[in-house]
Amino acid sequence: MLLAETLLVASALAVCLLYLTAAARLRRRGDSWPWLRDAAFAAGTAAVVAAVALPMPGGEFTGHMAGHLLLGMYAPLLLVLARPVTLALRALPPGRARRTLLAAVRSRPAAALVWPPVAALLDVGGLWLLYRTPLFERTHESMPLHMLVHLHVLAAGLLFTLAICQVEPLRHRSSLPLRAGTLVAAGAAHAVLARSLYAAPPPGTDFGPADLHRGAELMYYGGDAAEIALALVLALGWYAAEGRALRRERRRTRSTGADFVL
Amino acid sequence: MASTASAAAPSRAPARTRSIWAGVLVGVGFAAFVDETVFHQLLHWHHFYDKSTPAAGLVSDGLFHAFGWFAVVIGLVMVADLARRGGPARWALAGGVLLGAGGFQLYDGTVQHKLLRLHQIRYHVEIAPYDWTWNVIAVLLLIAGVLALRKG
Protein backbone atom coordinates (compact mmCIF):
# COMPACT_ATOMS: atom_id res chain seq x y z
CA MET A 1 0.00 0.00 0.00
CA LEU A 2 1.27 3.46 -0.84
CA LEU A 3 2.12 6.12 1.70
CA ALA A 4 -0.81 8.38 0.81
CA GLU A 5 -3.28 5.50 1.09
CA THR A 6 -1.78 4.41 4.39
CA LEU A 7 -2.21 7.95 5.69
CA LEU A 8 -5.84 8.08 4.59
CA VAL A 9 -6.64 4.72 6.17
CA ALA A 10 -4.84 5.68 9.39
CA SER A 11 -6.72 8.97 9.71
CA ALA A 12 -10.07 7.26 9.01
CA LEU A 13 -9.36 4.75 11.78
CA ALA A 14 -8.23 7.52 14.16
CA VAL A 15 -11.45 9.51 13.55
CA CYS A 16 -13.50 6.37 14.17
CA LEU A 17 -11.66 5.74 17.44
CA LEU A 18 -12.35 9.34 18.50
CA TYR A 19 -16.05 8.89 17.71
CA LEU A 20 -16.34 5.70 19.75
CA THR A 21 -14.45 7.26 22.69
CA ALA A 22 -16.71 10.33 22.67
CA ALA A 23 -19.86 8.17 22.54
CA ALA A 24 -18.55 6.08 25.45
CA ARG A 25 -17.82 9.25 27.45
CA LEU A 26 -21.39 10.47 26.86
CA ARG A 27 -22.85 7.19 28.08
CA ARG A 28 -20.57 7.13 31.15
CA ARG A 29 -21.94 10.47 32.30
CA GLY A 30 -25.49 9.21 31.86
CA ASP A 31 -26.49 10.66 28.47
CA SER A 32 -28.10 8.38 25.95
CA TRP A 33 -26.51 7.87 22.55
CA PRO A 34 -27.97 5.06 20.40
CA TRP A 35 -25.59 2.14 19.80
CA LEU A 36 -26.88 2.03 16.22
CA ARG A 37 -24.99 5.26 15.57
CA ASP A 38 -21.71 3.77 16.80
CA ALA A 39 -22.36 0.80 14.51
CA ALA A 40 -23.15 3.11 11.56
CA PHE A 41 -19.95 5.11 12.06
CA ALA A 42 -17.83 1.97 12.36
CA ALA A 43 -19.43 0.51 9.21
CA GLY A 44 -18.90 3.80 7.37
CA THR A 45 -15.24 3.79 8.36
CA ALA A 46 -14.93 0.18 7.19
CA ALA A 47 -16.42 1.21 3.83
CA VAL A 48 -13.87 4.04 3.46
CA VAL A 49 -10.98 1.71 4.34
CA ALA A 50 -12.24 -0.98 1.95
CA ALA A 51 -12.63 1.53 -0.90
CA VAL A 52 -9.14 2.94 -0.43
CA ALA A 53 -7.11 -0.11 0.54
CA LEU A 54 -8.76 -3.32 -0.70
CA PRO A 55 -8.64 -4.64 -4.25
CA MET A 56 -12.16 -4.54 -5.72
CA PRO A 57 -13.56 -7.49 -7.69
CA GLY A 58 -14.22 -7.37 -11.43
CA GLY A 59 -12.30 -5.69 -14.22
CA GLU A 60 -10.27 -2.52 -13.80
CA PHE A 61 -13.14 -0.10 -14.49
CA THR A 62 -15.74 -2.16 -12.62
CA GLY A 63 -13.45 -2.36 -9.61
CA HIS A 64 -12.82 1.37 -9.74
CA MET A 65 -16.60 1.98 -9.83
CA ALA A 66 -17.25 -0.34 -6.88
CA GLY A 67 -14.69 1.62 -4.85
CA HIS A 68 -16.29 4.90 -5.87
CA LEU A 69 -19.78 3.77 -4.88
CA LEU A 70 -18.45 2.81 -1.46
CA LEU A 71 -16.43 5.98 -0.97
CA GLY A 72 -18.86 8.51 -2.49
CA MET A 73 -22.26 7.13 -1.49
CA TYR A 74 -22.49 4.30 1.05
CA ALA A 75 -19.72 5.41 3.42
CA PRO A 76 -21.05 9.03 3.53
CA LEU A 77 -24.59 7.81 4.24
CA LEU A 78 -23.44 5.68 7.17
CA LEU A 79 -21.12 8.38 8.53
CA VAL A 80 -23.70 11.20 8.28
CA LEU A 81 -26.46 9.13 9.92
CA ALA A 82 -24.10 8.60 12.88
CA ARG A 83 -24.28 12.41 13.48
CA PRO A 84 -20.57 12.99 14.28
CA VAL A 85 -20.95 16.79 14.60
CA THR A 86 -23.80 16.49 17.10
CA LEU A 87 -21.73 13.99 19.07
CA ALA A 88 -18.68 16.28 19.10
CA LEU A 89 -20.77 19.25 20.28
CA ARG A 90 -22.18 17.18 23.13
CA ALA A 91 -18.93 15.50 24.11
CA LEU A 92 -16.63 18.53 24.04
CA PRO A 93 -16.43 20.48 27.31
CA PRO A 94 -17.49 24.15 27.11
CA GLY A 95 -14.46 26.06 25.86
CA ARG A 96 -12.63 27.20 22.81
CA ALA A 97 -12.72 23.97 20.81
CA ARG A 98 -16.45 23.63 21.19
CA ARG A 99 -17.08 27.31 20.37
CA THR A 100 -14.91 27.06 17.24
CA LEU A 101 -16.72 23.95 16.02
CA LEU A 102 -20.13 25.50 16.62
CA ALA A 103 -19.09 28.71 14.86
CA ALA A 104 -17.80 26.71 11.89
CA VAL A 105 -21.01 24.67 11.59
CA ARG A 106 -23.13 27.82 11.84
CA SER A 107 -20.94 29.92 9.53
CA ARG A 108 -22.14 31.41 6.27
CA PRO A 109 -19.77 29.40 4.04
CA ALA A 110 -20.96 26.17 5.68
CA ALA A 111 -24.57 27.23 5.12
CA ALA A 112 -23.83 27.95 1.44
CA LEU A 113 -22.09 24.59 0.98
CA VAL A 114 -24.93 22.54 2.47
CA TRP A 115 -27.58 24.33 0.41
CA PRO A 116 -28.81 21.24 -1.51
CA PRO A 117 -28.30 22.51 -5.11
CA VAL A 118 -24.70 23.61 -4.32
CA ALA A 119 -23.88 20.32 -2.60
CA ALA A 120 -25.40 18.35 -5.50
CA LEU A 121 -23.41 20.34 -8.06
CA LEU A 122 -20.15 19.74 -6.18
CA ASP A 123 -20.93 16.03 -5.90
CA VAL A 124 -22.45 14.97 -9.24
CA GLY A 125 -20.80 17.85 -11.15
CA GLY A 126 -17.46 16.56 -9.89
CA LEU A 127 -18.27 13.11 -11.26
CA TRP A 128 -19.14 14.56 -14.68
CA LEU A 129 -15.79 16.37 -14.68
CA LEU A 130 -13.97 13.20 -13.67
CA TYR A 131 -15.50 10.87 -16.26
CA ARG A 132 -16.21 13.18 -19.19
CA THR A 133 -12.92 15.11 -19.31
CA PRO A 134 -9.29 13.86 -19.51
CA LEU A 135 -9.14 14.22 -15.69
CA PHE A 136 -9.75 10.49 -15.16
CA GLU A 137 -6.81 9.55 -17.41
CA ARG A 138 -4.54 12.04 -15.60
CA THR A 139 -5.34 10.52 -12.18
CA HIS A 140 -3.57 7.38 -13.42
CA GLU A 141 -0.38 9.31 -14.06
CA SER A 142 -0.27 11.50 -10.95
CA MET A 143 -0.53 10.04 -7.46
CA PRO A 144 -1.33 13.38 -5.71
CA LEU A 145 -4.15 14.00 -8.19
CA HIS A 146 -5.40 10.45 -7.63
CA MET A 147 -5.58 11.01 -3.86
CA LEU A 148 -7.14 14.44 -4.32
CA VAL A 149 -9.94 12.90 -6.40
CA HIS A 150 -10.45 10.22 -3.71
CA LEU A 151 -10.72 12.92 -1.05
CA HIS A 152 -13.07 15.03 -3.17
CA VAL A 153 -15.37 12.07 -3.82
CA LEU A 154 -15.60 11.34 -0.08
CA ALA A 155 -15.97 15.01 0.97
CA ALA A 156 -18.54 15.83 -1.70
CA GLY A 157 -20.45 12.64 -0.86
CA LEU A 158 -20.55 13.64 2.81
CA LEU A 159 -21.68 17.17 1.92
CA PHE A 160 -24.44 15.98 -0.41
CA THR A 161 -25.73 13.38 2.07
CA LEU A 162 -25.75 15.97 4.85
CA ALA A 163 -27.55 18.50 2.63
CA ILE A 164 -30.29 15.97 1.82
CA CYS A 165 -30.64 14.40 5.30
CA GLN A 166 -30.04 17.55 7.39
CA VAL A 167 -29.50 15.64 10.60
CA GLU A 168 -26.84 17.91 12.12
CA PRO A 169 -27.40 21.30 13.82
CA LEU A 170 -27.14 23.49 10.71
CA ARG A 171 -27.65 27.22 10.43
CA HIS A 172 -30.46 26.88 7.90
CA ARG A 173 -32.77 24.00 7.22
CA SER A 174 -33.78 23.67 3.60
CA SER A 175 -37.40 22.85 2.83
CA LEU A 176 -38.49 19.30 2.12
CA PRO A 177 -39.52 20.01 -1.51
CA LEU A 178 -36.09 21.55 -2.24
CA ARG A 179 -34.29 18.57 -0.75
CA ALA A 180 -36.57 16.10 -2.55
CA GLY A 181 -36.22 17.90 -5.90
CA THR A 182 -32.45 18.07 -5.55
CA LEU A 183 -32.28 14.36 -4.73
CA VAL A 184 -34.29 13.44 -7.84
CA ALA A 185 -32.29 15.81 -10.08
CA ALA A 186 -28.97 14.50 -8.74
CA GLY A 187 -30.20 10.91 -9.17
CA ALA A 188 -31.12 11.67 -12.77
CA ALA A 189 -27.74 13.31 -13.52
CA HIS A 190 -26.01 10.29 -12.00
CA ALA A 191 -28.12 7.85 -14.06
CA VAL A 192 -27.48 9.76 -17.31
CA LEU A 193 -23.73 9.81 -16.62
CA ALA A 194 -23.79 6.05 -15.99
CA ARG A 195 -25.61 5.43 -19.30
CA SER A 196 -23.16 7.67 -21.15
CA LEU A 197 -20.25 5.64 -19.72
CA TYR A 198 -21.92 2.49 -21.06
CA ALA A 199 -21.69 4.00 -24.54
CA ALA A 200 -18.29 5.70 -24.34
CA PRO A 201 -15.40 5.33 -21.87
CA PRO A 202 -13.82 8.37 -20.15
CA PRO A 203 -11.68 10.27 -22.72
CA GLY A 204 -8.20 8.81 -23.15
CA THR A 205 -8.95 5.40 -21.60
CA ASP A 206 -9.43 2.06 -23.35
CA PHE A 207 -11.30 -0.28 -21.01
CA GLY A 208 -12.66 -3.43 -22.60
CA PRO A 209 -16.36 -3.25 -23.57
CA ALA A 210 -17.43 -5.95 -21.08
CA ASP A 211 -15.61 -4.20 -18.22
CA LEU A 212 -16.99 -0.81 -19.27
CA HIS A 213 -20.57 -2.10 -19.51
CA ARG A 214 -20.43 -3.85 -16.15
CA GLY A 215 -18.94 -0.77 -14.50
CA ALA A 216 -21.59 1.53 -16.00
CA GLU A 217 -24.43 -0.77 -14.91
CA LEU A 218 -22.91 -1.02 -11.44
CA MET A 219 -22.84 2.78 -11.25
CA TYR A 220 -26.46 3.01 -12.47
CA TYR A 221 -28.00 0.44 -10.13
CA GLY A 222 -25.62 1.20 -7.26
CA GLY A 223 -26.75 4.82 -7.51
CA ASP A 224 -30.38 3.66 -7.29
CA ALA A 225 -29.69 1.89 -4.00
CA ALA A 226 -28.17 5.06 -2.54
CA GLU A 227 -31.09 7.17 -3.83
CA ILE A 228 -33.67 4.82 -2.28
CA ALA A 229 -31.83 4.97 1.05
CA LEU A 230 -31.75 8.78 0.98
CA ALA A 231 -35.43 8.93 -0.04
CA LEU A 232 -36.21 6.70 2.96
CA VAL A 233 -34.34 9.04 5.32
CA LEU A 234 -36.31 12.01 3.89
CA ALA A 235 -39.67 10.24 3.99
CA LEU A 236 -39.23 8.86 7.51
CA GLY A 237 -38.12 12.30 8.73
CA TRP A 238 -41.31 13.75 7.29
CA TYR A 239 -43.36 10.89 8.85
CA ALA A 240 -41.89 11.61 12.27
CA ALA A 241 -42.56 15.37 11.95
CA GLU A 242 -46.17 14.71 10.85
CA GLY A 243 -46.57 12.38 13.83
CA ARG A 244 -45.45 15.10 16.24
CA ALA A 245 -47.85 17.59 14.62
CA LEU A 246 -50.69 15.05 14.85
CA ARG A 247 -50.07 14.41 18.56
CA ARG A 248 -50.02 18.17 19.27
CA GLU A 249 -53.26 18.60 17.35
CA ARG A 250 -54.94 15.79 19.28
CA ARG A 251 -53.75 17.16 22.65
CA ARG A 252 -55.17 20.55 21.74
CA THR A 253 -58.52 19.12 20.62
CA ARG A 254 -58.78 17.17 23.86
CA SER A 255 -57.93 20.08 26.14
CA THR A 256 -60.46 22.38 24.45
CA GLY A 257 -63.23 19.80 24.94
CA ALA A 258 -63.61 18.14 21.59
CA ASP A 259 -66.83 16.49 20.54
CA PHE A 260 -65.20 13.08 20.37
CA VAL A 261 -63.09 11.21 22.88
CA LEU A 262 -59.51 10.43 21.96
CA MET B 1 -51.64 9.22 25.17
CA ALA B 2 -49.92 7.04 22.61
CA SER B 3 -52.14 4.05 23.36
CA THR B 4 -55.37 6.01 22.97
CA ALA B 5 -54.17 8.03 19.98
CA SER B 6 -53.63 4.94 17.84
CA ALA B 7 -57.29 3.95 18.19
CA ALA B 8 -58.51 7.51 17.73
CA ALA B 9 -61.04 8.76 15.25
CA PRO B 10 -59.54 10.79 12.40
CA SER B 11 -58.78 14.32 13.51
CA ARG B 12 -59.99 15.64 10.16
CA ALA B 13 -62.01 14.33 7.26
CA PRO B 14 -60.20 11.56 5.38
CA ALA B 15 -57.90 13.55 3.15
CA ARG B 16 -59.16 12.54 -0.29
CA THR B 17 -56.71 14.73 -2.19
CA ARG B 18 -53.79 13.39 -0.21
CA SER B 19 -54.97 9.83 -0.84
CA ILE B 20 -55.07 10.47 -4.59
CA TRP B 21 -51.57 11.95 -4.62
CA ALA B 22 -50.15 9.14 -2.51
CA GLY B 23 -51.72 6.72 -4.99
CA VAL B 24 -50.30 8.54 -8.02
CA LEU B 25 -46.79 8.46 -6.52
CA VAL B 26 -47.05 4.76 -5.68
CA GLY B 27 -48.49 4.07 -9.16
CA VAL B 28 -45.70 5.88 -11.04
CA GLY B 29 -43.08 4.21 -8.87
CA PHE B 30 -44.65 0.78 -9.27
CA ALA B 31 -44.86 1.09 -13.07
CA ALA B 32 -41.21 2.23 -13.23
CA PHE B 33 -40.25 -0.68 -10.97
CA VAL B 34 -42.07 -3.24 -13.15
CA ASP B 35 -40.47 -1.71 -16.25
CA GLU B 36 -37.04 -2.08 -14.69
CA THR B 37 -37.35 -5.55 -13.17
CA VAL B 38 -39.57 -7.36 -15.67
CA PHE B 39 -38.58 -5.86 -19.02
CA HIS B 40 -34.94 -4.98 -18.37
CA GLN B 41 -33.80 -7.61 -15.89
CA LEU B 42 -36.03 -10.69 -16.28
CA LEU B 43 -37.10 -10.73 -19.93
CA HIS B 44 -34.12 -8.73 -21.27
CA TRP B 45 -36.49 -7.24 -23.87
CA HIS B 46 -35.39 -3.64 -23.21
CA HIS B 47 -31.77 -2.70 -23.76
CA PHE B 48 -29.76 -0.80 -21.15
CA TYR B 49 -28.44 1.48 -23.84
CA ASP B 50 -29.56 1.68 -27.44
CA LYS B 51 -26.86 3.16 -29.68
CA SER B 52 -29.43 5.38 -31.41
CA THR B 53 -30.63 7.01 -28.18
CA PRO B 54 -30.47 10.83 -28.37
CA ALA B 55 -29.52 12.97 -25.38
CA ALA B 56 -33.11 14.10 -24.69
CA GLY B 57 -34.14 10.46 -24.36
CA LEU B 58 -31.40 9.79 -21.83
CA VAL B 59 -32.31 12.84 -19.75
CA SER B 60 -36.02 12.02 -19.77
CA ASP B 61 -35.29 8.43 -18.80
CA GLY B 62 -32.84 9.48 -16.09
CA LEU B 63 -35.40 11.83 -14.56
CA PHE B 64 -38.21 9.29 -14.59
CA HIS B 65 -35.93 6.56 -13.33
CA ALA B 66 -34.76 8.69 -10.38
CA PHE B 67 -38.28 9.99 -9.74
CA GLY B 68 -39.76 6.48 -9.83
CA TRP B 69 -37.74 5.23 -6.86
CA PHE B 70 -38.32 8.41 -4.93
CA ALA B 71 -42.06 8.33 -5.70
CA VAL B 72 -42.63 4.80 -4.46
CA VAL B 73 -40.82 5.49 -1.15
CA ILE B 74 -42.59 8.79 -0.49
CA GLY B 75 -45.95 7.41 -1.69
CA LEU B 76 -45.85 4.42 0.66
CA VAL B 77 -44.84 6.55 3.64
CA MET B 78 -47.73 8.93 2.79
CA VAL B 79 -50.10 5.93 2.86
CA ALA B 80 -48.71 4.99 6.29
CA ASP B 81 -49.37 8.56 7.47
CA LEU B 82 -52.94 8.46 6.11
CA ALA B 83 -53.46 5.13 7.87
CA ARG B 84 -52.69 6.58 11.30
CA ARG B 85 -55.05 9.49 10.57
CA GLY B 86 -57.97 7.13 10.14
CA GLY B 87 -57.13 5.41 6.87
CA PRO B 88 -56.75 6.62 3.29
CA ALA B 89 -59.85 7.12 1.19
CA ARG B 90 -59.71 3.70 -0.47
CA TRP B 91 -61.22 4.41 -3.88
CA ALA B 92 -59.24 7.63 -4.16
CA LEU B 93 -56.03 5.75 -3.35
CA ALA B 94 -56.82 2.97 -5.86
CA GLY B 95 -57.74 5.55 -8.50
CA GLY B 96 -54.49 7.38 -7.89
CA VAL B 97 -52.41 4.20 -8.23
CA LEU B 98 -54.13 3.32 -11.53
CA LEU B 99 -53.73 6.86 -12.90
CA GLY B 100 -50.07 6.98 -11.90
CA ALA B 101 -49.25 3.58 -13.37
CA GLY B 102 -51.25 4.20 -16.56
CA GLY B 103 -49.82 7.69 -16.98
CA PHE B 104 -46.25 6.47 -16.67
CA GLN B 105 -46.87 3.53 -18.98
CA LEU B 106 -48.43 5.79 -21.64
CA TYR B 107 -45.60 8.34 -21.35
CA ASP B 108 -43.03 5.55 -21.56
CA GLY B 109 -44.79 3.92 -24.53
CA THR B 110 -45.37 7.08 -26.56
CA VAL B 111 -42.90 9.85 -25.67
CA GLN B 112 -39.92 7.79 -24.46
CA HIS B 113 -40.04 4.76 -26.75
CA LYS B 114 -41.38 6.49 -29.89
CA LEU B 115 -40.73 10.26 -29.84
CA LEU B 116 -37.40 10.22 -28.00
CA ARG B 117 -36.47 6.72 -29.32
CA LEU B 118 -35.02 5.76 -25.94
CA HIS B 119 -35.10 2.03 -26.62
CA GLN B 120 -37.80 -0.23 -28.01
CA ILE B 121 -40.04 -2.61 -26.10
CA ARG B 122 -38.43 -5.60 -27.82
CA TYR B 123 -35.81 -6.09 -30.52
CA HIS B 124 -35.71 -8.25 -33.68
CA VAL B 125 -39.50 -8.58 -33.83
CA GLU B 126 -42.36 -6.82 -35.58
CA ILE B 127 -42.71 -3.96 -33.08
CA ALA B 128 -46.23 -2.63 -33.87
CA PRO B 129 -48.24 -5.27 -31.90
CA TYR B 130 -46.02 -4.71 -28.89
CA ASP B 131 -46.47 -0.93 -29.07
CA TRP B 132 -50.25 -1.26 -29.41
CA THR B 133 -50.56 -3.73 -26.53
CA TRP B 134 -48.32 -1.54 -24.34
CA ASN B 135 -50.28 1.66 -24.96
CA VAL B 136 -53.76 0.10 -24.93
CA ILE B 137 -52.96 -1.36 -21.48
CA ALA B 138 -51.86 2.11 -20.43
CA VAL B 139 -55.15 3.67 -21.59
CA LEU B 140 -57.16 0.91 -19.87
CA LEU B 141 -55.32 1.63 -16.60
CA LEU B 142 -56.12 5.32 -16.97
CA ILE B 143 -59.83 4.61 -17.62
CA ALA B 144 -59.97 2.29 -14.62
CA GLY B 145 -58.36 5.05 -12.55
CA VAL B 146 -60.98 7.62 -13.59
CA LEU B 147 -63.78 5.15 -12.82
CA ALA B 148 -62.32 4.44 -9.36
CA LEU B 149 -62.12 8.17 -8.63
CA ARG B 150 -65.77 8.67 -9.65
CA LYS B 151 -66.83 5.88 -7.32
CA GLY B 152 -65.41 7.46 -4.17
Side-chain angles (χ1 to χ4, degrees), chain A residues 136-191:
Chain A
F136 187 71
E137 191 203 357
R138 297 232 176 95
T139 62
H140 287 124
E141 296 154 6
S142 152
M143 201 16 94
L145 192 62
H146 183 82
M147 291 317 290
L148 204 64
V149 166
H150 261 36
L151 277 177
H152 172 85
V153 166
L154 176 62
L158 284 169
L159 191 65
F160 177 71
T161 311
L162 180 59
I164 296 297
C165 298
Q166 305 230 327
V167 288
E168 302 275 24
L170 301 164
R171 181 192 178 97
H172 277 299
R173 296 203 170 260
S174 303
S175 71
L176 191 64
L178 179 65
R179 288 188 281 150
T182 306
L183 176 60
V184 170
H190 191 265

Side-chain angles (χ1 to χ4, degrees), chain A residues 69 73 124 127-128 185-195 219-220 222-223:
Chain A
L69 286 175
M73 291 180 155
V124 189
L127 289 181
W128 274 85
H190 191 265
V192 172
L193 180 60
R195 287 236 164 142
M219 179 179 181
Y220 189 80

Side-chain angles (χ1 to χ4, degrees), chain B residues 94-112:
Chain B
V97 171
L98 291 166
L99 283 181
F104 176 80
Q105 168 113 347
L106 190 61
Y107 175 80
D108 195 35
T110 53
V111 178
Q112 295 203 139

Side-chain angles (χ1 to χ4, degrees), chain A residues 180 184 187-188 192 195 198-199 217 220-221 224 227-228 231-232 235 238-239 242-243 246-247 249-250 254 262, chain B residues 1 4-5 8 11 18 36 41 48-49 58-59 61-63 65-66 69-70 73-74 77-78 80-81 84-85:
Chain A
V184 170
V192 172
R195 287 236 164 142
Y198 190 92
E217 284 183 330
Y220 189 80
Y221 294 114
D224 287 357
E227 191 206 330
I228 292 170
L232 260 175
W238 172 82
Y239 185 79
E242 285 286 297
L246 188 65
R247 279 195 296 277
E249 196 181 312
R250 281 182 176 155
R254 190 167 46 178
L262 282 169
Chain B
M1 163 79 206
T4 50
S11 55
R18 225 184 220 197
E36 186 60 52
Q41 301 297 328
F48 184 76
Y49 186 90
L58 283 183
V59 172
D61 175 69
L63 270 174
H65 184 76
W69 288 123
F70 178 79
V73 170
I74 285 283
V77 173
M78 276 177 81
D81 181 59
R84 69 179 171 188
R85 291 174 185 275

Side-chain angles (χ1 to χ4, degrees), chain A residues 15 18-20 22-23 26 32-42 44 75-92 101 105 158 161-162 164-170 173 179 232-234 236-238 240 244:
Chain A
V15 172
L18 262 179
Y19 181 100
L20 296 175
L26 232 62
S32 70
W33 188 261
W35 282 103
L36 213 53
R37 291 184 190 166
D38 296 51
F41 203 87
L77 182 65
L78 289 162
L79 294 173
V80 164
L81 288 182
R83 295 165 171 77
V85 178
T86 306
L87 175 66
L89 287 174
R90 281 176 60 179
L92 282 170
L101 177 62
V105 174
L158 284 169
T161 311
L162 180 59
I164 296 297
C165 298
Q166 305 230 327
V167 288
E168 302 275 24
L170 301 164
R173 296 203 170 260
R179 288 188 281 150
L232 260 175
V233 173
L234 272 191
L236 294 177
W238 172 82
R244 286 191 294 272

